[in-house]
């Protein structure tokens, strides 16, 4: 890296506890080399994608874009990158999604009068937007790409909450248009319910166990209310695995009920804040989708849920389809830690369930002597007189 100022700012980015996914199209290619040239880059940079051709962009977006180079396109790319970063990041880390799209100097005649580019950086609670129009004919393609790369590198420290600046090389007539939009917690949750965001983590706890701190140990549920059985079950699950980051997960979207409201989500999250336990809010009610969202994780479930997971009844009556779906889960590296549960008045454990050989390695039993607590949220709601829906 020739420019020491660039190296300094890249080192400051990598020193922050933030991880990022970067999507670039039409420029700023030098920024990737700069970001990856400093030791420790893998701690920050999770993935880079350069959807350069139209077909590549269509596959990234899932649609044909109306306009390839625009602020709206950069924002959409940044949101996709942010959701991707949520899936790839270490538990509890802050994440960023970076989207860049530009039309720079080329050997072919340009439709517009000037080169221009758009940058968007998405964090959990805000988005930074940047746009620049370059003076036509002033620079070569490589020089324009360096300017675009400097603007991108200059924007990242602010998003990473570190104080470093860089001269981007713009002239006085080339205006750097910047804006920042913040989102309230309610707006974030609305975005999640609407499907714009795939999850939101509340890292109330910083604890982790064992050497495998990158793996999430997730106890999914409605937690209405959270009770001692949930806490003891996750604690027991941690005792039988090799380590990981323990957390709870609430799906805001239900398979057979209306989605939770923002107020309902916030009320349930408060239970975990009081106890300093990490909780993730997602919009995926099905385990095969949770496996895509949390690859490499172990899900803590009861024997009743395990029985449903391998019951062909829930796969349109097809044993083959059941194996295909759970096989896909297995390929994401996900596993299931199964605790005993009362089913129709009888205590059931993993050994009582017929697990097909093809997927049996995905399931690990939590011994009854490690965990047994005959309590449920439904019973608690009945006892306090709530209406059960």
């Amino acid at each position: 890296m020739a420019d020491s100022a660039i190296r300094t700012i890249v080192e400051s980015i990598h020193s922050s506890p933030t991880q990022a996914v970067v999507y670039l199209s039409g420029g700023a290619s030098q920024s990737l080399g700069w970001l990856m040239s400093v030791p420790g880059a893998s701690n920050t940079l999770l993935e880079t994608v350069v959807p350069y051709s139209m077909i590549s962009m269509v596959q990234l977006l899932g649609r044909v874009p109306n306009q390839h180079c625009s602020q709206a396109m950069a924002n959409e790319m940044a949101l996709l990158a942010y959701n991707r970063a949520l899936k790839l990041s270490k538990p509890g880390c802050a994440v960023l999604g970076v989207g860049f799209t530009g039309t720079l100097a080329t050997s072919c005649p340009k439709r517009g009068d000037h080169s221009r580019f758009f940058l968007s950086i998405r964090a959990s609670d805000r988005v930074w937007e940047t746009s620049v129009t370059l003076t036509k004919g002033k620079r070569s393609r490589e020089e324009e790409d360096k300017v675009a790369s400097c603007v991108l590198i200059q924007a990242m420290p602010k998003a990473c909450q570190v104080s470093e600046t860089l001269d981007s090389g713009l002239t006085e007539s080339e205006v750097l248009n910047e804006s920042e939009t913040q989102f309230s917690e309610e707006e974030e949750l609305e975005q999640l319910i609407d499907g714009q965001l795939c999850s939101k983590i509340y890292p109330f706890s910083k604890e982790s166990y064992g050497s495998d701190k990158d793996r999430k140990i997730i106890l999914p549920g409605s937690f209405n209310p959270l009770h001692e059985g949930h806490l003891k079950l996750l604690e027991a699950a941690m005792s039988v695995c090799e380590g990981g980051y323990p957390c709870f997960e609430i799906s805001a979207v239900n398979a057979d009920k209306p989605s939770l409201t923002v107020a309902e989500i916030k009320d349930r999250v408060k239970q975990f804040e009081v106890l300093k336990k990490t909780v993730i809010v997602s919009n995926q009610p099905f385990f095969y989708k949770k496996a895509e969202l949390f690859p490499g994780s172990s899900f803590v479930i009861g024997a009743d849920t395990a029985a449903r997971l391998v019951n062909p009844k829930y796969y349109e009556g097809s044993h083959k389809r059941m194996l295909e779906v759970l096989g896909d889960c297995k390929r994401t590296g996900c596993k299931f830690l199964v605790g005993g549960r009362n089913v129709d008045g009888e205590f059931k454990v993993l050994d009582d369930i017929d697990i097909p050989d093809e997927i049996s390695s995905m399931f690990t039993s939590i011994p009854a002597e490690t965990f047994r607590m005959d309590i449920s949220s439904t019973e608690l709601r009945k006892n306090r007189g709530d209406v059960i829906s």
Side-chain angles (χ1 to χ4, degrees):
M1 185 183 296
D3 195 329
S4 60
I6 294 175
R7 184 181 185 90
T8 298
I9 201 168
V10 170
E11 287 176 340
S12 74
I13 293 170
H14 292 324
S15 69
S16 71
T18 305
Q19 298 188 301
V21 167
V22 179
Y23 290 167
L24 306 179
S25 179
S29 60
Q30 294 176 58
S31 65
L32 297 183
W34 298 341
L35 286 169
M36 291 187 287
S37 65
V38 173
S42 61
N43 293 328
T44 302
L45 202 57
L46 297 169
E47 181 178 87
T48 62
V49 176
V50 184
Y52 214 62
S53 71
M54 176 58 73
I55 293 176
S56 178
M57 181 62 78
V58 168
Q59 289 190 341
L60 176 68
L61 302 177
R63 64 176 182 83
V64 177
N66 296 325
Q67 188 175 1
H68 194 88
C69 183
S70 66
Q71 189 65 63
M73 176 62 69
N75 290 351
E76 187 172 354
M77 292 170 68
L79 184 59
L80 288 169
Y82 176 75
N83 280 315
R84 178 66 173 161
L86 287 173
K87 298 177 183 180
L88 301 179
S89 62
K90 293 181 180 179
C93 274
V95 301
L96 298 175
V98 180
F100 174 97
T101 181
T103 172
L104 305 183
T106 177
S107 57
C108 301
K110 293 177 67 63
R111 293 182 181 179
D113 294 332
H114 303 279
S115 299
R116 63 190 187 280
F117 58 84
F118 301 88
L119 171 68
S120 179
I121 301 180
R122 173 67 198 242
S124 64
D125 62 348
R126 67 195 66 202
V127 60
W128 294 268
E129 298 177 359
T130 304
S131 65
V132 177
T133 298
L134 300 175
T135 303
K136 185 178 182 181
K138 181 177 176 60
R139 304 175 181 86
S140 66
R141 165 73 186 214
E142 182 179 1
E143 290 169 336
E144 288 189 350
D145 187 88
K146 182 174 182 179
V147 169
S149 296
C150 284
V151 170
L152 188 154
I153 292 296
Q154 181 181 349
M156 287 189 70
K158 183 188 295 184
C160 294
Q161 299 183 346
V162 294
S163 56
E164 292 289 347
T165 59
L166 177 70
D167 180 7
S168 60
L170 294 172
T171 66
E172 290 184 3
S173 62
E174 295 169 328
V175 179
L176 188 68
N177 298 302
E178 296 180 288
S179 66
E180 178 180 339
T181 303
Q182 296 189 31
F183 307 112
S184 66
E185 180 185 3
E186 289 78 10
E187 288 173 321
E188 286 183 70
L189 293 173
E190 287 287 1
Q191 292 172 4
L192 186 144
I193 294 169
D194 292 342
Q196 296 177 53
L197 300 181
C198 63
S199 67
K200 176 176 173 57
I201 185 168
Y202 292 85
F204 297 131
S205 169
K206 304 299 181 184
E207 61 184 340
S208 60
Y209 301 87
S211 58
D212 193 0
K213 298 180 181 180
D214 290 354
R215 181 172 55 142
K216 298 181 183 75
I217 311 299
I218 302 174
L219 175 55
S222 60
F223 306 111
N224 184 28
L226 173 67
H227 56 69
E228 187 180 3
H230 296 132
L231 302 174
K232 293 294 186 182
L233 177 56
L234 185 55
E235 183 180 320
M238 294 301 300
S239 72
V240 301
C241 61
E242 297 177 353
Y245 184 90
C247 50
F248 298 85
E249 184 249 347
I250 301 170
S251 176
V253 178
N254 292 298
D256 51 6
K257 296 179 182 178
S259 298
L260 298 178
T261 65
V262 168
E264 287 173 329
I265 295 172
K266 291 181 68 175
D267 283 344
R268 297 187 193 186
V269 167
K270 284 179 184 176
Q271 302 174 102
F272 298 93
E273 183 177 15
V274 170
L275 297 173
K276 293 182 169 54
K277 300 294 183 182
T278 292
V279 61
I280 301 171
V281 183
S282 81
N283 57 12
Q284 298 297 347
F286 301 109
F287 275 104
Y288 74 96
K289 287 293 186 180
K290 293 182 194 292
E292 294 175 5
L293 187 55
F294 308 113
S297 297
S298 291
F299 295 99
V300 185
I301 60 176
D304 54 338
T305 300
R308 288 194 297 272
L309 272 176
V310 298
N311 190 338
K313 169 186 173 182
Y314 299 100
Y315 303 86
E316 300 177 348
S318 171
H319 182 83
K320 179 181 178 182
R321 178 60 181 158
M322 178 267 292
L323 290 178
E324 289 174 351
V325 170
L326 293 180
D328 288 341
C329 293
K330 184 178 181 180
R331 280 184 282 276
T332 68
C334 288
K335 295 184 178 182
F336 297 100
L337 305 175
V338 184
R341 188 74 186 269
N342 263 332
V343 180
D344 298 327
E346 185 177 353
F347 190 76
K348 298 284 188 179
V349 296
L350 180 60
D351 287 343
D352 297 317
I353 304 168
D354 185 16
I355 306 292
D357 292 340
E358 297 92 329
I359 55 173
S360 60
S361 62
M362 296 176 66
F363 295 81
T364 299
S365 178
I366 300 174
E369 57 269 22
T370 302
F371 172 81
R372 176 166 182 168
M373 187 169 289
D374 302 335
I375 184 174
S376 73
S377 295
T378 301
E379 289 300 321
L380 287 176
R381 293 199 301 275
K382 284 181 179 178
N383 292 338
R384 71 186 188 189
D386 291 1
V387 176
I388 307 300
S389 59

